[in-house]
Amino acid sequence: MIKVDDLHKNFGKLEVLKGITTSIKEGEVVAIIGPSGSGKSTFLRCLNLLEIPTSGQIWISDYKVTDKKTNIMKIRQNVGMVFQHFHLFPHKTVMENLTYAPIKVKGLSKQEAEKIGMDLLDRVGLSDKAKEYPTRLSGGQKQRVAIARALAMQPSVMLFDEPTSALDPEMVKEVLDVMKSLAHTGMTMAIVTHEMGFAREVADRVLFLDGGQLVEDAPPIEFFENPKSQRAQDFLQKML
Amino acid sequence: MNLDFGQFIPSIPYILKGIKVTLQIVILAGILGFALGIILSFFKISTVKVLGWLADAYTSVFRGTPLVLQLMLIYYGSPQIFGYQIEPYTAAILSFAMNSAAYISEIIRAGILAVDKGQKEAAMALGVPYGKMMWDIIMPQALKNILPALMNEFITLTKESAIVTTIGVTDVMRRSYQAGADNFSFFEPLIIAGLIYYIMVMVLTILGKALERRMRRSD
């Protein structure tokens, strides 16, 4: 589904990613964890070209993302992304947030888009908020809308960039629950997170990044019970 | 103080007709200036450096010289620029549009830069192409924030339009001046002109406030 080969990313002189090679299978849920500055967000943002890789190759469902000839817009339509700070469109209602891209980018009719939108709002438990503006929602509600907005494009991969890091503690669960149920539908997901409990419970694999390198790639039980590298052991010790 | 408005009553319809002239110039110049301002602001934030330099040079020239000079250059220079003498009315619209575009482009640029970077990323992540993103996502948010500054610009334009009197356009200002010349008394007709400008600006202010309220619906 996703293949990454020797991915490098520099910001000026700073080398953030130092050659990452990995792959994600269809339907797999992968948690990407690591200390801040380890490059995990940059890695995720390279997957839909919000950051342009310095070198290396990325394939997503048979499209070579890093090929200049590939239509980036088409790739992005197929890869949903959820941000730490939600980034809902504040001048549009919840429903308009969900239907904007399907109508304007995919060319769906308003009725089709709203039907999909309503189903999704139901799924994230916010069908009563369709006509509200985002400013009226709590952080947890905003993030659930943001997930629904990404799903409205019916992507085959979902990327989550620290989706619960900006939330008040009591709102983390409602967002994680939505993500959990999404994982159960067989969605391919890559999640940058600090929620170790969630990673352990939901992820099929854990990628541990440190200093721009992929240090460990293991099933969660193995990673949390028996981390092989010293760096992962140190990291996990600090987390608890 | 010796004021006699009575002798100007016959002149008032003549002066009032100038409102139409003033409004025509202001509205057309405002629309053209706004459109040109948007284009220039897009040049300024473009990654194509040459476009940015062009827009900066444009702003620098039009902000760095007096409006009345630009007006006269275009009016009296038109035989050399265009090959024929243009109407004073056309010269007024052209020069005001080009002048206010310089200011408006800076206002819009600031407005666009003030929109949270995440909005652009969210649109990009959904596969929204650049044009639609700017038009549907970034500009509506930018415009909401810069509306007061834009209103300032349109108010300035309305008042400064009085300088068209120097190239003989019969706007409110010129008509009042002529009424004064006819009666050998300038004070009263100029007060009337002042009142008319003030009322026009008030109407503009009220319209702007109403528009701002409408745009703040989502807050």
Side-chain angles (χ1 to χ4, degrees), chain A residues 45 76 88 91 100 104, chain B residues 119 121 124 132 136 218:
Chain A
R45 291 160 59 85
R76 286 182 180 149
L88 293 179
H91 60 300
Y100 171 72
K104 289 289 177 112
Chain B
Q119 292 292 308
E121 291 191 345
M124 278 163 66
K132 282 180 183 163
D136 295 329
S218 60

Side-chain angles (χ1 to χ4, degrees), chain A:
Chain A
M1 181 95 220
I2 301 180
K3 244 181 86 183
V4 180
D5 185 31
D6 197 27
L7 179 65
H8 287 261
K9 173 67 187 175
N10 298 0
F11 289 112
K13 284 212 175 82
L14 186 70
E15 198 179 7
V16 180
L17 296 179
K18 300 172 183 168
I20 306 252
T21 301
T22 188
S23 63
I24 299 173
K25 286 198 287 284
E26 186 160 358
E28 208 171 19
V29 177
V30 172
I32 302 162
I33 62 179
S36 46
S38 60
K40 46 194 193 315
S41 280
T42 307
F43 171 70
L44 199 72
R45 291 160 59 85
C46 279
L47 294 181
N48 65 348
L49 296 188
L50 282 185
E51 305 290 352
I52 306 298
T54 308
S55 69
Q57 261 91 55
I58 300 168
W59 289 265
I60 294 182
S61 31
D62 296 333
Y63 288 103
K64 191 170 177 188
V65 177
T66 39
D67 190 335
K68 285 218 156 55
K69 276 173 282 183
T70 308
N71 185 346
I72 300 179
M73 293 303 162
K74 279 271 174 283
I75 302 266
R76 286 182 180 149
Q77 289 168 35
N78 189 36
V79 180
M81 186 158 198
V82 175
F83 300 87
Q84 182 178 357
H85 295 286
F86 333 126
H87 301 329
L88 293 179
F89 305 133
H91 60 300
K92 294 185 178 296
T93 63
V94 166
M95 183 52 91
E96 286 164 356
N97 264 278
L98 264 64
T99 56
Y100 171 72
I103 293 172
K104 289 289 177 112
V105 181
K106 272 176 119 182
L108 294 192
S109 72
K110 195 166 174 251
Q111 290 95 313
E112 287 173 289
E114 284 187 348
K115 191 179 170 300
I116 295 171
M118 214 54 214
D119 286 348
L120 285 168
L121 283 182
D122 253 344
R123 254 171 81 184
V124 300
L126 291 170
S127 42
D128 56 325
K129 302 286 185 194
K131 290 196 174 69
E132 296 281 6
Y133 282 98
T135 38
R136 298 205 178 260
L137 304 181
S138 72
Q141 291 172 330
K142 280 182 193 164
Q143 195 60 300
R144 285 188 279 156
V145 172
I147 293 172
R149 177 177 68 176
L151 289 173
M153 287 296 279
Q154 299 174 314
S156 49
V157 183
M158 285 284 283
L159 309 177
F160 294 83
D161 190 2
E162 301 197 26
T164 57
S165 298
L167 297 177
D168 291 337
E170 74 267 28
M171 290 170 183
V172 170
K173 190 175 174 294
E174 65 186 62
V175 171
L176 292 182
D177 283 346
V178 166
M179 290 169 63
K180 224 179 280 177
S181 73
L182 184 61
H184 291 317
T185 66
M187 176 65 77
T188 310
M189 295 161 74
I191 307 160
V192 171
T193 185
H194 293 293
E195 297 291 334
M196 295 302 143
F198 176 77
R200 192 176 185 139
E201 186 189 336
V202 180
D204 299 308
R205 262 167 68 210
V206 173
L207 304 184
F208 176 71
L209 265 66
D210 188 25
Q213 284 163 327
L214 181 58
V215 180
E216 293 209 26
D217 176 350
I221 298 183
E222 203 179 307
F223 175 77
F224 287 108
E225 305 290 337
N226 282 311
K228 286 189 209 72
S229 65
Q230 187 60 43
R231 282 191 277 181
Q233 286 165 19
D234 292 347
F235 175 74
L236 286 174
Q237 213 138 50
K238 274 181 219 144
M239 293 307 291
L240 303 170

Side-chain angles (χ1 to χ4, degrees), chain B residues 23-35 92-98 100-101 104 154 157:
Chain B
L23 280 182
Q24 270 174 346
I25 292 173
V26 168
I27 291 170
L28 278 172
I31 293 170
L32 279 175
F34 187 56
I93 292 170
L94 274 180
S95 58
F96 288 153
M98 294 205 294
S100 59
I104 289 174
F154 289 130
L157 186 62

